[in-house]
Amino acid sequence: MAERQEQAAPDAVLTRIGQVVMLHHGGDREEARSRFLDLWVEVGEDGDPLHRCTLAHYLADTQDDPADELAWDLRALSAAEEIADGRVGADPSSVRGFFPSLHLNLAADYAKLGRAEAARSHLRRARSAARCLADDGYGAGVRSAISRLALRLGEDGAPGDEGWRPPRQG
């Protein structure tokens, strides 16, 4: 019984994160930020990296200051890298699809802060990581966002982006 409860605990945390995401998407940014921060304290700096990645990713979206948003997005990337590098015993492939969005968010953060070279670096990493995305709505949405940010940064997507394909239209 105790083993069963331990297995359910991670799902319970992700469910709670999802509930706060819905609150945020419903327009209550301040309350969402407060609840995410409460969950962050509960999970802890050394907690499950999937929980830290997910929380930090969504916490970044609730920040008013671009520097704070960057800090949370860096925490999300760091936690995802722990999993991808096999440092925590989780399946590294479980986070492969996170990296396009994580790098895209970092590119956008750096762009907001006027750090164009860092933005372009993460944009290149987002493009490269996007190759693993399926040709579904999520993949198309991420690819489209990458293309929009590339245009904002004055890039056309050609140099150094072999294998990159623009999102399909229609």
Side-chain angles (χ1 to χ4, degrees):
M1 181 68 164
E3 181 181 323
R4 204 149 135 196
Q5 288 175 339
E6 286 177 26
Q7 290 174 348
D11 293 340
V13 171
L14 292 176
T15 297
R16 291 169 58 205
I17 293 169
Q19 291 167 340
V20 180
V21 169
M22 290 190 311
L23 178 71
H24 180 231
H25 289 170
D28 199 342
R29 186 176 184 177
E30 293 298 323
E31 182 64 22
R33 180 173 40 223
S34 175
R35 289 186 189 189
F36 279 140
L37 287 170
D38 289 344
L39 278 169
W40 182 262
V41 169
E42 185 179 318
V43 167
E45 291 280 334
D46 297 319
D48 181 311
L50 179 60
H51 296 162
R52 288 185 287 119
C53 176
T54 306
L55 273 168
H57 173 73
Y58 287 115
L59 257 163
D61 293 341
T62 67
Q63 301 304 304
D64 296 323
D65 183 335
D68 292 336
E69 185 175 0
L70 172 63
W72 283 110
D73 279 331
L74 287 169
R75 285 182 186 105
L77 178 62
S78 177
E81 287 174 338
E82 283 181 45
I83 297 169
D85 293 344
R87 289 181 263 165
V88 293
D91 178 10
S93 68
S94 67
V95 295
R96 190 174 73 171
F98 291 5
F99 287 99
S101 178
L102 293 172
H103 285 294
L104 173 62
N105 289 348
L106 285 164
D109 296 341
Y110 283 119
K112 287 179 198 172
L113 293 167
R115 296 176 58 186
E117 278 311 306
R120 287 185 183 96
S121 174
H122 279 281
L123 184 63
R124 283 190 298 274
R125 292 174 76 181
R127 281 187 179 129
S128 178
R131 293 183 191 125
C132 78
L133 296 176
D135 285 331
D136 58 10
Y138 175 76
V142 172
R143 287 184 191 96
S144 179
I146 289 170
S147 294
R148 286 191 306 272
L149 184 57
L151 288 173
R152 278 187 29 217
L153 293 174
E155 293 191 358
D156 63 5
D161 294 322
E162 297 77 17
W164 167 250
R165 65 183 192 279
R168 291 186 297 163
Q169 301 297 316

